[in-house]
Amino acid sequence: MPVPHTNPSSPLWLFDLDNTLHDASHSIFPAITANMNVFIARVLGDGVTPATPEAVNAARLLYWKRYGATLLGMIRHHQVSAAHFLEETHALGDLQQMIRSERGLKRLLRHLPGRKILFTNAPTRYSTDVVRHLGLRRHFSHHVAIEDMLVHGQLRPKPSKLMMRRVLRKYGVSARRAILVEDTLDNLRSAKQLGVRTVWITQYLRMSDPIGAAALPKMLKRPAYVDVKVKSLRQLAARLHRLR
């Protein structure tokens, strides 16, 4: 859908999806985690017996820490098809019933100055469906999903700085005119190193690792590379002056 003309000096907003625009930790992430564990157990198994939960968790943590995404480790070390992995792990049944979000997101996006791009490490089909159920599709001029994050033929999802540079160049903005809104600190840190302004959303965070073994600290302090920290997206309008 066409978006209104914007001032060339206005910012380009890069909005993450999961745990930023909606509460993925409520039921979507647990379902994806269960699917992922089944998939990895099958790949790591001997062809008859799946790998143990301990082996699956160890692999997920290792790949997450080393590559920033479990998928990249599965591709590099087990020759997994990215499309197959994403399809199986995001088979979620009645997605609409799983979505939880705060009210007022349409109004917030409508009043933020500048273009908005959905910028997510989630697959295209899933992220399109979530945004449609949220009623937010018309507020994003473009949609960058993980399948779009290819550099030299290889997946380079967030927090890849090379991929971020590609995105900024594609949409014709300098880093200082872009604002990344995210729940994931590694992605914010990487963007800030390029000069992108950063907003950290904290209200949906539950655990600090992908297998749910490490709880978040009670006090979530704002790191130096985060320009604005807000619990709720609805607080963002009142903090815009900190991003100028």
Side-chain angles (χ1 to χ4, degrees), residues 197-217:
R197 287 168 286 174
T198 53
V199 176
W200 185 28
I201 305 296
T202 64
Q203 69 175 334
Y204 300 131
L205 299 179
R206 303 284 195 278
M207 310 300 289
S208 59
D209 66 50
I211 65 170
L216 289 167

Side-chain angles (χ1 to χ4, degrees), residues 20 131 149-150 187 221:
T20 297
V131 172
M149 298 180 183
L150 291 170
N187 298 342
K221 295 183 178 179

Side-chain angles (χ1 to χ4, degrees), residues 29 32-33 36-37 57 59-65 69-70 207-214:
F29 274 180
I32 291 174
T33 292
M36 192 178 297
N37 287 346
N57 286 340
R60 288 189 63 195
L61 274 176
L62 174 64
Y63 299 154
W64 175 66
K65 290 179 179 178
T70 301
M207 310 300 289
S208 59
D209 66 50
I211 65 170

Side-chain angles (χ1 to χ4, degrees), residues 42-61:
R42 186 169 67 244
V43 171
L44 298 185
D46 59 12
V48 177
T49 305
T52 65
E54 292 78 15
V56 170
N57 286 340
R60 288 189 63 195
L61 274 176

Side-chain angles (χ1 to χ4, degrees), residues 15-18 67-72 85-86 90 118-124 126-127 143-147 149 155-160 163 182 184 187:
F15 273 89
D16 179 47
L17 176 63
D18 293 329
Y67 304 115
T70 301
L71 170 58
L72 296 186
F85 179 93
L86 293 169
H90 288 76
L118 188 68
F119 187 51
T120 174
N121 279 0
T124 300
Y126 160 81
S127 51
H143 179 172
V144 179
I146 193 168
E147 296 96 330
M149 298 180 183
L155 277 179
R156 291 289 185 269
K158 296 180 289 185
S160 168
M163 184 275 302
E182 266 273 359
T184 304
N187 298 342

Side-chain angles (χ1 to χ4, degrees), residues 1-7 10 110 114-116 138-141:
M1 182 171 184
V3 295
H5 175 74
T6 55
N7 189 315
S10 62
R110 185 167 61 248
R115 288 180 294 165
K116 293 94 184 174
R138 67 183 300 272
H139 297 286
F140 293 102
S141 62

